[in-house]
Amino acid sequence: MTGTGTKTNPYIVDNWQEFEAAVELVQSATQTNPAYIHFNPNASNKIVDMRKIHPSGCPTYNIGSTKLIGNGWEIRNLYLTNSLIKVSPGGAIIGLNFTKISYHGSYPFIHAISNGVSGVAQ
């Protein structure tokens, strides 16, 4: 992973483990500006096979007001029993593709929180 998480120097991640590390940094930082996480746009492999990483269910990632830019990456074989991502006002998820999802939860796949009210991200 490279970058500092700012708009001009976003965290650039090359795999899901680096994404998880970037989310941990975002969660532990005290920030007044949104953080930025970008999946590497120049990666030779832009497919994450979640069956190999979290076969029994993926945790929920709270990205807050982070701007998550997927750059066309594909998240494949995702098994969920809960929301995958929680995003707060100011946050965004752009350019990620999800294929072969098995979802067995009662919360939204992507959980958007706005002014204390939660719902499905549009």
Side-chain angles (χ1 to χ4, degrees):
M1 174 176 54
T2 61
T4 59
T6 65
K7 185 175 186 175
T8 57
N9 189 21
Y11 294 123
I12 303 292
V13 299
D14 288 303
N15 55 54
W16 197 258
Q17 291 80 4
E18 288 184 7
F19 166 73
E20 289 177 328
V23 170
E24 283 186 35
L25 289 171
V26 166
Q27 289 175 341
S28 64
T30 303
Q31 330 177 157
T32 55
N33 296 318
Y36 291 79
I37 300 173
H38 292 208
F39 280 85
N40 187 345
N42 301 314
S44 58
N45 177 21
K46 292 186 175 187
I47 297 173
V48 177
D49 187 347
M50 296 304 287
R51 189 177 342 192
K52 295 177 181 177
I53 301 167
H54 291 292
S56 12
C58 201
T60 299
Y61 301 96
N62 186 351
I63 65 168
S65 61
T66 298
K67 310 288 191 213
L68 175 58
I69 310 300
N71 289 313
W73 279 58
E74 177 184 347
I75 310 303
R76 181 184 291 177
N77 298 317
L78 185 60
Y79 176 79
L80 292 172
T81 59
N82 47 261
S83 298
L84 176 63
I85 297 174
K86 286 186 179 180
V87 62
S88 299
I93 303 166
I94 302 165
L96 276 177
N97 301 304
F98 297 92
T99 58
K100 300 181 182 175
I101 299 171
S102 178
Y103 185 57
H104 305 276
S106 58
Y107 290 101
F109 170 65
I110 295 177
H111 195 151
I113 303 168
S114 174
N115 299 327
V117 179
S118 62
V120 178
Q122 298 294 318

